[in-house]
Amino acid sequence: MNPDIDAILNHLREALPDAAIELRRNPGPAEQHSLLVEAASLPDVCRFLHDELHFDYLSNVTGIDWPDPAKAEAVALADNENETKEETEESPPKPGFLEVVYHLYSHRDRVGPLVLRVRTLDRGENVEIPSVVSIYRSAEFQEREIYDLFGVRFTGHPDLRRILMWDEFVDHPMRKDYVAPDDFEYEPTPHDAVLERAKEHYPS
Amino acid sequence: MIAPSSISNPTLEGTDDDQLLRVSLGPQHPSTHGVFRMNVVLDGETIVSLKPVFGYLHRNHEKIAECGPYLHSMPYTDRLDYICPLTNNWAYALSVEKLAGIEVPERAEYMRVILGELTRLINHTSFMGFILGDMGAWGSALMYAFREREKILDLFEHLTGARMMANFMRFGGCRYDLPEGWIGQVSTIIDDYGPFLDEMEQLLIGNEILLARTQDVGQLPAEKLINGGVTGPMLRAAGISYDIRKVEPYGIYDRFDFRIPLGEKGDCYDRIMIRFLEMRESLKILRQAIDGLPEGDFIHPKAKLRNFKPPVGEAYGRIEGPKGELGFHLVSNGTTDPYRFRVRAPSFINLTLLEDMCLGLDLADVVIILGSIDIVLGEVDR
Amino acid sequence: MAIDQKLAEDLKSQGIHVTSFESLINWGRSSSLWPMQFGLACCAIEMIAATMAKYDMARFGAEVFRPSPRQADLMLVAGTVTKKMAPLVVRLYNQMAEPKYVIAMGACAISGGPFKQGYNVLKGIDRYIPVDIVIPGCPPRPEALLDGLMALRKKIAGEKLIGKNRVRHADAKGTAEFPVPEYGPHDLQPTANREIWHPKPVVHEEGGDR
């Protein structure tokens, strides 16, 4: 059962008035609305949700790469649409970012998923997000995986290193601009993108 | 809350480093259930530190899913948890139906329940065979387990054309209708399954070696398990009643009368025995589903297979798979291809607490504990 | 100098069998192949099912799965070989003692299979080690695995142990060990072992024969 997200937002705003939290509506039929939390406030928000509102089970941590922030906004609609329209007319194009989405459930109250979103500042150097491992142990491997595949650095993680790829690997493969390495020497039935790569190996 | 840094600290202060033995168990090892590696530091036979190493079967399901339409990922979900393919299909179909707001007709829901519970039976039966192999009874229990598994695989082959990789669920229902006589065959097999379970339980419950090796091994307190994100039979063996079929019923599970078995201590013995009890509950559900199967559509009449474009948005759908909570987080930006396809794999998350369960125990216990978590590397590494 | 068939039949009826050392040794070798326990992914489950009661690989002498590569002579690569796993597969192959054979079971071990587009998937184990038999399928049925085993037995029975065309393991100059690839920053280094991997050059034009 989806939680009452407006009530939760009110509790959070009362308890943590300095934390920057916004409600984002999910336009699709699933109606799993989310709370966009600023990276610096994430540990406090999680601590409050865990201790006071009994969201004791972190089910899933997903990393998403948004090179185009407009698409991210379309998936998680801000309430104040007029503001965003003004912004697009005047301000320069915003950089893309990496997003981490958390799904929280409550064992005691049997509600969920409460969706939290946290965004990095850009896709280059400023990719740090505080780790929630000290509050939710289940994030340990999942944060390592997001570091490995997307490049988000979780500050405060006890053991942040690659988990699925080998340690000498340099790229972050799940990013949208990742180019797969060249092992297209033998492609018997290529088409589309694979055909382009295979053509480089054809005898001239 | 729980501070992992004190446990996972790799520098091991305060120990006599010369006396410690560093062993790498795996990735090619008879009892690691696939290509799973553990870097273990031993003091004699006692575990001082255990670090799992993954990635040896990282097959890029998530990246491949972004390269094609939603339907092309359906056969790939078979290969995630390859011992129970149909429940993976169901979880993915459910998540897409949540994303796009598609309804499933009643007959299709009953078909899904029947196939899902049959898959739970084969998973728990194979688990029983594998864990007894880990304990040293190599081959014997596995022979019995696979004998029963083959009967159910014959059913799957009759229905879907493939023994393992069924690829049977679609968004809005199932791929095609049940052939004639199939339900009768299922009924016969379920009738024989009860005596098989009686036979296995009789062989196992009083077995001295099983009791000595699995009792009081690998326990953790309940809060730690919930905090570690553990789900499935491992959680219920510790006495926590959380089964998604009862907490957040999906499909038509709220119509069936079944109980959730709970363990007491959460040790390996509880985890093994709870799966026997779950198999018996599955037989109950199967009997009710077969008796109540209605006529009707096997897929929603307006379900689109080609050019399927769900609306912009995201959804997280989850089911109670045989190993735990299997969830799919899908993000759609209105095109035919998913923008983000994330698999929340139960085996991966259940392994978070592996080190905590093994500290202070012997190396031989690690194998039993790993076996009792019931992992499948296809899911762990995706 | 071939033996006259009629003479051979006569001798046989009296309890005297005439054969060559080559046939005898190959017969013994092929009837008692010991596979290495090396299931990687889904095909491993079908491999296990092939050793179980319904399909029973024990009748063909191949039921003794050895965990250690030193004691095995058949490597059944069953499942996807990822780039992270590839150096270990080659290292295990090097540790096996001659004569050793490789069966690539399943589409993934042959050429990458359905996961071919993946950045971490090796497009076929034949890039680094020589493969004797391939069994296509995803996963191949246990009967297909038994069929592959029969094909391997036939291949072993036809091996020449002396003479110019003798098989690799009977040749003092034959290599039993192959170089292990290393983890590079983007891919394995080298991407393939060109001395044993000779793919036919394929030129595929757009909109050709599809």
Side-chain angles (χ1 to χ4, degrees):
Chain A
M1 197 194 323
N2 284 349
D4 184 357
I5 202 156
D6 296 301
I8 294 174
L9 185 57
N10 285 337
H11 283 302
L12 278 168
R13 288 218 169 113
E14 270 174 33
L16 304 164
D18 299 330
I21 312 172
E22 270 176 52
L23 178 67
R24 290 300 178 109
R25 302 226 164 254
N26 181 358
E31 293 192 1
Q32 288 172 351
H33 307 298
S34 46
L35 295 174
L36 177 63
V37 179
E38 200 190 323
S41 329
L42 183 66
D44 293 327
V45 169
C46 284
R47 174 71 58 196
F48 179 78
L49 287 170
H50 182 276
D51 295 339
E52 307 299 326
L53 296 185
H54 304 282
F55 278 96
D56 47 3
Y57 167 41
L58 173 63
S59 167
N60 177 39
V61 184
T62 311
I64 313 181
D65 182 23
W66 297 107
D68 180 6
K71 288 193 181 153
E73 298 296 327
V75 167
L77 293 173
D79 268 338
N80 34 8
E81 287 178 22
N82 294 329
E83 247 182 55
T84 48
K85 270 197 195 142
E86 282 174 24
E87 280 179 19
T88 48
E89 281 169 12
E90 294 170 2
S91 54
K94 291 199 180 135
F97 47 75
L98 300 164
E99 190 175 49
V100 180
V101 182
Y102 300 81
H103 288 90
L104 295 165
Y105 285 85
S106 168
H107 269 237
R108 192 193 74 160
D109 302 327
R110 309 290 210 208
V111 288
L114 173 62
V115 187
L116 299 178
R117 323 181 88 85
V118 185
R119 292 177 177 169
T120 62
L121 293 171
D122 61 23
R123 291 167 81 238
E125 290 300 316
N126 303 317
V127 287
E128 277 155 8
I129 289 183
S131 165
V132 298
V133 175
S134 50
I135 310 165
Y136 294 108
R137 182 75 188 279
S138 56
E140 188 180 339
F141 288 165
Q142 301 189 73
E143 286 184 349
R144 273 178 69 184
E145 185 189 337
I146 298 177
Y147 166 66
D148 185 2
L149 300 179
F150 286 91
V152 176
R153 271 196 296 280
F154 290 93
T155 51
H157 193 282
D159 188 14
L160 192 69
R161 55 192 165 96
R162 285 188 181 266
I163 190 171
L164 291 174
M165 300 303 290
W166 56 87
D167 291 324
E168 295 85 346
F169 198 71
V170 157
D171 303 315
H172 296 292
M174 280 296 290
R175 291 202 181 185
K176 296 288 179 183
D177 52 3
Y178 173 72
V179 175
D182 185 17
D183 53 358
F184 294 87
E185 300 96 331
Y186 178 61
E187 295 289 335
T189 54
H191 53 90
D192 302 333
V194 176
L195 181 58
E196 296 305 316
R197 301 290 301 261
K199 275 184 182 159
E200 291 161 27
H201 288 275
Y202 286 170
S204 48
Chain B
M1 208 43 204
I2 292 99
S5 53
S6 57
I7 304 166
S8 312
N9 190 346
T11 57
L12 296 165
E13 292 165 10
T15 53
D16 194 352
D17 220 21
D18 291 340
Q19 304 291 331
L20 299 175
L21 181 64
R22 285 179 169 72
V23 179
S24 164
L25 275 174
Q28 188 260 343
H29 193 274
S31 22
T32 55
H33 296 266
V35 282
F36 180 62
R37 180 173 160 205
M38 293 182 272
N39 285 339
V40 175
V41 178
L42 296 169
D43 177 15
E45 279 279 325
T46 323
I47 306 278
V48 172
S49 142
L50 189 153
K51 296 260 167 293
V53 182
F54 309 110
Y56 292 104
L57 197 59
H58 181 47
R59 290 188 287 194
N60 324 132
H61 280 91
E62 303 186 351
K63 189 84 184 182
I64 292 175
E66 292 175 10
C67 300
Y70 283 84
L71 193 57
H72 107 131
S73 309
M74 187 59 91
Y76 286 96
T77 57
D78 281 326
R79 283 135 180 103
L80 273 174
D81 176 358
Y82 36 81
I83 303 189
C84 16
L86 280 158
T87 42
N88 304 347
N89 282 352
W90 190 357
Y92 181 51
L94 193 128
S95 306
V96 174
E97 283 151 15
K98 243 186 194 167
L99 181 71
I102 307 174
E103 275 180 25
V104 181
E106 214 182 330
R107 183 176 170 85
E109 291 281 17
Y110 272 86
M111 282 162 68
R112 283 181 173 185
V113 168
I114 294 174
L115 290 168
E117 294 304 319
L118 282 173
T119 315
R120 198 179 305 269
L121 283 177
I122 59 176
N123 177 271
H124 289 342
T125 315
S126 311
F127 163 84
M128 189 246 330
F130 284 126
I131 192 147
L132 283 166
D134 288 345
M135 272 187 247
W138 182 248
S140 316
L142 199 58
M143 290 273 180
Y144 285 101
F146 270 63
R147 182 191 72 188
E148 297 305 313
R149 182 172 179 263
E150 292 290 338
K151 292 183 193 163
I152 298 184
L153 288 183
D154 279 343
L155 283 175
F156 288 161
E157 194 178 2
H158 184 187
L159 175 64
T160 68
R163 281 154 53 93
M164 277 168 65
M165 310 304 178
N167 183 17
F168 190 64
M169 310 286 179
R170 292 287 178 264
F171 312 134
C174 298
R175 193 167 166 192
Y176 28 68
D177 208 349
L178 302 175
E180 265 201 52
W182 194 79
I183 287 290
Q185 289 173 346
V186 177
S187 203
T188 321
I189 288 181
I190 305 174
D191 289 336
D192 294 334
Y193 224 86
F196 163 69
L197 288 178
D198 292 331
E199 186 187 25
M200 290 316 298
E201 270 189 28
Q202 212 177 8
L203 285 172
L204 294 178
I205 281 186
N207 186 312
E208 270 185 68
I209 298 180
L210 182 96
L211 293 174
R213 285 200 74 178
T214 58
Q215 286 192 325
D216 297 323
V217 166
Q219 297 145 280
L220 280 178
E223 309 81 45
K224 206 162 183 177
L225 288 173
I226 298 178
N227 192 263
V230 171
T231 51
M234 234 175 102
L235 187 69
R236 294 192 283 278
I240 304 163
S241 169
Y242 195 78
D243 184 322
I244 301 175
R245 295 176 290 173
K246 291 282 196 195
V247 165
E248 205 181 285
Y250 52 95
I252 44 166
Y253 269 112
D254 42 6
R255 293 190 205 179
F256 297 117
D257 170 36
F258 64 102
R259 296 182 299 176
I260 303 297
L262 293 177
E264 271 181 44
K265 285 196 272 188
D267 55 7
C268 295
Y269 182 71
D270 277 349
R271 290 176 199 156
I272 298 174
M273 289 305 152
I274 205 177
R275 286 178 165 99
F276 274 102
L277 294 171
E278 283 194 2
M279 279 200 268
R280 291 193 194 276
E281 298 300 320
S282 287
L283 291 173
K284 260 201 255 179
I285 300 176
L286 275 166
R287 185 48 67 203
Q288 292 170 52
I290 290 176
D291 291 339
L293 181 67
E295 296 298 323
D297 293 321
F298 57 89
I299 193 169
H300 194 274
K302 294 228 179 63
K304 268 180 104 167
L305 289 179
R306 306 225 176 268
N307 229 0
F308 170 65
K309 285 192 201 141
V312 176
E314 65 170 5
Y316 178 67
R318 59 183 194 158
I319 65 157
E320 181 71 29
K323 297 188 159 66
E325 170 184 326
L326 175 61
F328 282 83
H329 179 208
L330 298 166
V331 176
S332 154
N333 60 347
T335 58
T336 49
D337 303 354
Y339 189 82
R340 176 79 171 100
F341 170 97
R342 152 89 182 163
V343 181
R344 187 260 182 221
S347 308
F348 184 52
I349 315 288
N350 288 354
L351 280 174
T352 316
L353 293 176
L354 178 64
E355 190 178 6
D356 299 52
M357 283 193 270
C358 295
L359 284 179
L361 297 177
D362 290 343
L363 187 59
D365 296 323
V366 172
V367 171
I368 304 291
I369 293 173
L370 185 66
S372 73
I373 302 180
D374 195 10
I375 61 169
V376 164
L377 261 299
E379 226 177 20
V380 170
D381 288 338
R382 280 153 286 130
Chain C
M1 197 176 73
I3 302 284
D4 181 34
Q5 272 302 99
K6 207 164 165 312
L7 178 60
E9 296 282 330
D10 277 338
L11 289 171
K12 204 164 162 184
S13 63
Q14 309 216 17
I16 299 175
H17 289 261
V18 181
T19 180
S20 64
F21 264 121
E22 215 171 63
S23 309
L24 191 64
I25 292 174
N26 284 343
W27 174 73
R29 194 171 279 154
S30 66
S31 308
S32 155
L33 283 165
W34 284 10
M36 189 168 71
Q37 214 172 33
F38 194 51
L40 292 166
C42 347
C43 285
I45 307 296
E46 290 292 52
M47 185 172 75
I48 297 172
T51 60
M52 290 290 123
K54 190 169 178 187
Y55 297 103
D56 199 11
M57 211 146 85
R59 339 170 236 172
F60 306 112
E63 72 154 352
V64 190
F65 274 71
R66 307 306 300 164
S68 164
R70 300 278 192 209
Q71 301 164 0
D73 50 10
L74 168 64
M75 183 191 234
L76 266 167
V77 184
T80 321
V81 187
T82 55
K83 290 183 182 165
K84 193 166 180 181
M85 190 68 193
L88 295 110
V89 175
V90 181
R91 201 176 281 158
L92 282 167
Y93 182 73
N94 289 345
Q95 284 176 0
M96 285 164 75
E98 287 279 27
K100 51 189 175 180
Y101 306 97
V102 176
I103 291 185
M105 178 181 174
C108 292
I110 299 174
S111 70
F115 299 99
K116 198 168 173 159
Q117 303 161 269
Y119 47 84
N120 190 28
V121 173
L122 186 70
K123 299 185 185 178
I125 189 62
D126 59 342
R127 283 181 174 228
Y128 292 112
I129 56 178
V131 170
D132 293 296
I133 299 286
V134 296
I135 306 178
C138 187
R141 291 182 62 98
E143 290 106 324
L145 174 58
L146 294 175
D147 187 43
L149 196 66
M150 296 298 117
L152 181 63
R153 288 177 64 167
K154 211 162 145 185
K155 186 174 181 183
I156 297 175
E159 278 181 346
K160 297 243 164 299
L161 299 177
I162 50 175
K164 232 181 359 172
N165 294 332
R166 71 181 88 150
V167 72
R168 184 189 82 216
H169 60 79
D171 192 355
K173 291 201 226 55
T175 40
E177 297 194 359
F178 294 89
V180 177
E182 285 178 5
Y183 295 132
H186 304 283
D187 196 358
L188 289 174
Q189 279 158 352
T191 56
N193 182 354
R194 288 297 178 161
E195 285 168 37
I196 51 164
W197 189 55
H198 309 289
K200 285 197 301 251
V202 172
V203 176
H204 196 98
E205 290 305 324
E206 248 156 326
D209 50 328
R210 261 204 287 146

